[in-house]
Amino acid sequence: MSYCRQEGKDRIIFATKEDHETPSSAELVADDPDDPYEEQGLILPNGDINWNCPCLGGMASGPCGEQFKSAFSCFHYSTEEIKGSDCVDQFRAMQECMQKYPDLYPQEDETEEKEKSSKDLEAASMEATAAKEEKGSS
């Protein structure tokens, strides 16, 4: 004889061998593509953008959400030869908005850029020195 017991948030169901021998009477329900709780990808079955997709990282709901949606929609629906080339204004508006919120939308730090460019210059200098030495020794 099967029985069920509740332990905190969990429900534990004990089934007997006889329970498994009888065919199930459960009816499967077809997936509803419009179910907002159903896991969907970035693009919904009807072709619309799923703004709730975790893959967008919450960009659609932040302070620049409307600008993001505008730019992303423009790119997604773009039919230009170079996809998105007609969306420059929307992406510019999104970038300007993001620059107003540097804590939420961090950009590459200027000091990191300076360090990177000085390391690149140093590496190029070392390569040039090594090349001169090699040329001088031949």
Side-chain angles (χ1 to χ4, degrees):
M1 180 170 105
S2 61
Y3 70 97
C4 180
R5 120 179 146 217
Q6 193 81 22
E7 284 189 14
K9 65 175 181 50
D10 300 318
R11 176 189 279 180
I12 302 170
I13 301 172
F14 293 92
T16 63
K17 184 177 179 182
E18 292 79 28
D19 291 330
H20 288 289
E21 289 176 347
T22 57
S24 172
S25 61
E27 292 182 31
L28 299 177
V29 180
D31 290 336
D32 180 4
D34 298 321
D35 183 358
Y37 300 105
E38 183 68 31
E39 289 285 328
Q40 301 285 339
L42 177 59
I43 307 302
L44 297 171
N46 65 3
D48 289 345
I49 298 169
N50 178 10
W51 298 115
N52 295 321
C53 181
C55 60
L56 294 176
M59 292 289 293
S61 60
C64 300
E66 291 306 312
Q67 292 84 343
F68 174 79
K69 287 179 181 180
S70 173
F72 195 88
S73 295
C74 181
F75 182 82
H76 176 67
Y77 296 112
S78 176
T79 57
E80 292 296 309
E81 177 84 20
I82 300 174
K83 188 168 180 81
S85 62
D86 53 336
C87 307
V88 173
D89 292 337
Q90 289 90 333
F91 277 98
R92 185 173 290 124
M94 181 182 78
Q95 184 179 23
E96 289 170 0
C97 179
M98 290 175 155
Q99 288 172 344
K100 293 177 188 175
Y101 301 94
D103 291 342
L104 293 174
Y105 307 105
Q107 296 182 2
E108 191 172 309
D109 191 15
E110 288 180 17
T111 57
E112 287 178 17
E113 287 178 14
K114 288 177 185 174
E115 287 175 10
K116 183 179 176 188
S117 62
S118 69
K119 285 180 183 175
D120 290 345
L121 285 173
E122 186 179 321
S125 173
M126 289 174 68
E127 287 175 14
T129 304
K132 280 183 187 177
E133 288 174 0
E134 190 174 300
K135 187 177 181 184
S137 66
S138 4

